[in-house]
Amino acid sequence: MDSIAIDFKLVSFFISCIALAFSPGPDNLFLFSLSLREKKKHSFLFLFGLMTGCLVHTLALIIGLNLVVAKFPLVLDIVKIIGFIYLIFLSIKLLFIKLDYKDSFKKPQKINFYKTGFLMNVLNPKVFLFFSVFFPNFIFSSDISFTLQILILGIIFIISTFLGFSIIIFTSNYITKHLKSNYLFNSIKSYLSSFVLFVIALLILFV
């Protein structure tokens, strides 16, 4: 495959990844809701966690974990149940964090945003299934090893998703700044993250 064809494949992959970053999905919807109520640094910590999770999925695809999953589908079911339990737990935790803030005599709970993003991504088997189906369509060379090509595609996916999700963070913060005095907006954003996580947990388990 000549260099022009390779460049076209990689550019097409990058554009596809950018489009996916802005398509409504569990990660960007939760990031949007989180950014409405949290500082930018917290949102970016969550985003770094998500991107680390994407790296794990890339490495899992490189070592052939998709073949193991195809042979032993029970593995996927176990991860799905663990992911569901974790997200339900996190949803409840976020809800109680909000309630704690209302109680001036109670010290609010804290959340590790990086760990949350990482676990939310890694424990969602649909992300790995997506990688397994999506990445092979953009294999771009017959001369470069499959492992290296998947790694390159994974890095491109992480960079493009990071760029797209960063725009979502800044957009959410912009909205918050301009609506911070709106009572209805403040009431909704306080519980939106918890609700979105609950819905994501149900989607992971039942869809």
Side-chain angles (χ1 to χ4, degrees):
M1 187 178 290
D2 58 38
S3 59
I4 295 177
I6 291 176
D7 291 343
F8 178 77
K9 272 273 189 179
L10 293 179
V11 170
S12 299
F13 181 73
F14 178 78
I15 294 173
S16 299
C17 293
I18 289 290
L20 285 168
F22 292 108
S23 300
D27 289 343
N28 54 15
L29 287 177
F30 179 72
L31 179 63
F32 179 78
S33 64
L34 183 71
S35 301
L36 289 176
R37 57 175 278 176
E38 298 291 343
K39 297 177 180 178
K40 281 199 292 288
K41 67 176 182 180
H42 294 152
S43 299
F44 274 105
L45 282 172
F46 175 80
L47 178 52
F48 287 137
L50 287 180
M51 297 302 95
T52 307
C54 287
L55 181 59
V56 171
H57 287 300
T58 301
L59 296 177
L61 185 57
I62 287 174
I63 64 175
L65 191 59
N66 56 317
L67 302 178
V68 176
V69 169
K71 192 172 182 179
F72 303 101
L74 181 61
V75 173
L76 207 60
D77 292 333
I78 293 173
V79 174
K80 185 185 294 186
I81 293 171
I82 294 173
F84 170 77
I85 294 172
Y86 173 72
L87 292 182
I88 290 295
F89 163 77
L90 188 60
S91 174
I92 295 172
K93 184 175 181 179
L94 284 173
L95 180 62
F96 275 98
I97 286 175
K98 174 58 185 174
L99 295 176
D100 286 349
Y101 273 116
K102 289 185 175 182
D103 187 348
S104 57
F105 298 101
K106 201 171 184 181
K107 186 178 180 180
Q109 301 179 58
K110 291 184 178 180
I111 184 170
N112 186 320
F113 293 96
Y114 175 82
K115 183 177 76 172
T116 297
F118 175 74
L119 291 178
M120 183 175 164
N121 188 279
V122 169
L123 294 178
N124 185 350
K126 289 180 173 57
V127 177
F128 178 67
L129 289 176
F130 168 76
F131 273 44
S132 302
V133 174
F134 185 61
F135 278 31
N137 292 314
F138 292 91
I139 292 298
F140 53 87
S141 174
S142 56
D143 300 321
I144 303 174
S145 70
F146 175 81
T147 296
L148 182 56
Q149 290 185 73
I150 292 296
L151 182 59
I152 291 171
L153 292 175
I155 292 172
I156 293 174
F157 181 88
I158 289 170
I159 292 173
S160 57
T161 303
F162 181 83
L163 293 174
F165 280 17
S166 295
I167 293 174
I168 292 175
I169 291 174
F170 284 110
T171 301
S172 299
N173 276 264
Y174 178 83
I175 293 172
T176 299
K177 286 180 181 179
H178 285 76
L179 295 177
K180 61 183 177 181
S181 59
N182 186 293
Y183 175 78
L184 178 61
F185 170 76
N186 288 319
S187 299
I188 292 174
K189 78 170 185 177
S190 298
Y191 301 100
L192 186 59
S193 297
S194 181
F195 174 74
V196 171
L197 270 182
F198 180 76
V199 172
I200 292 172
L202 294 179
L203 290 174
I204 287 177
L205 190 62
F206 296 111
V207 178

